[in-house]
Every structure is written in structure tokens, then in C-alpha cells.
Amino acid sequence: MNDWELLIGNRLLISAVTGWFVAQVLKTLIHAWVTKSFDPERLVGSGGMPSSHASTVCAMATTAGRLHGLGSPVFAVTVILAIIVMHDAMGVRLETGKQAKLLNQIVDSFKTLEGKKLAEEKLKEFVGHTPIQVIMGALLGILIGWLTG
């Protein structure tokens, strides 16, 4: 078996990538529906509903549990990784997005300062996730992991 066959036969990897892909497509469709406009950046961007981070790691952990058993080291590592990723998405990354939004509002209120133009590029506001976005991503990932594992 060559490397390519090994790679595409890796069910853990395929499950994780599928979890990410499905979440990104859903996120893009939901964003388009809510805003009434298509933003191609949502296909690869972070933040939004559902969390592709949570979907990715939960799909991987679910598949690991199904393939290797709940007592396996592989399952343990993927579950701890999932917890860390989801906690980070709702914590530091969510706060970073809130700060970016506030800074963008401040910059917008001061178009120029002492004759100098302020930042031309807005800071990225879609960075983290609310708890419901993470929960929905996790549920999506568990479903995908169950189906692909």
C-alpha cells in the first residue's frame, strides 16, 4: 500500500476533515441566510455557527472511540484535545473577537487622528465561538464521527 492509499484510508483523518468541511459549508450557508449575502471567506474562516473547530475534534474523538475503544490511549488523547480546543474557542478566542469588534468601532469613530489616516484594514471579528456554536459543532462532529467511524 502506498502513502496516498494509507492517507485516504486513515478513518480518523477522514472523519476530522469531513467534520471540518461540513461545518464550514453549514457555517457559510447559515451566514448567507442570516445576512442575505454570500461571503466566500466564511468557507475557510473561523468563528460562526457551527464551530468547525468543535466539529473537527469531536468527529475525530468519536471515530477514535469507535475504532480503538473508549479505554484506548488514542481516544484519551483526542478527547483531551477536543476539550482544550473547545474551551479555547469559547474563552480566549471569543474575547479576542469581542476586543476586535470594539477596536474597530473606536477606529471608525476616529477617521483620522492628527491628520494621519488610521488603520485601513479592520481587525477580524469572527475569531471565537459562543457556547451554543461550540455545542452545535460538537454535536455535528459526534454525528459525523459516528457515521464515518
Side-chain angles (χ1 to χ4, degrees), residues 52-110:
S52 59
H53 289 85
S55 181
T56 301
V57 294
C58 286
M60 186 169 56
T62 302
T63 300
R66 293 200 64 207
L67 291 177
H68 302 285
L70 301 182
S72 71
V74 174
F75 179 69
V77 169
T78 57
V79 166
I80 296 302
L81 176 66
I83 292 168
I84 292 168
V85 167
M86 292 186 292
H87 181 267
D88 181 63
M90 291 186 296
V92 175
R93 289 179 48 242
L94 179 61
E95 291 304 315
T96 300
K98 289 178 182 178
Q99 291 171 1
K101 187 173 187 171
L102 179 61
L103 286 170
N104 285 335
Q105 290 171 349
I106 292 169
V107 168
D108 283 346
S109 69
F110 296 105

Side-chain angles (χ1 to χ4, degrees), residues 7-66:
L7 188 64
I8 62 171
N10 185 327
R11 288 170 56 189
L12 221 58
L13 178 62
I14 296 303
S15 178
V17 170
T18 302
W20 173 84
F21 180 78
V22 171
Q24 288 299 122
V25 169
L26 285 173
K27 179 187 305 189
T28 303
L29 294 174
I30 291 168
H31 186 267
W33 180 64
V34 169
T35 64
K36 307 289 188 254
S37 66
F38 176 72
D39 181 3
E41 192 275 333
R42 302 305 318 142
L43 284 168
V44 294
S46 57
M49 171 70 92
S51 166
S52 59
H53 289 85
S55 181
T56 301
V57 294
C58 286
M60 186 169 56
T62 302
T63 300
R66 293 200 64 207

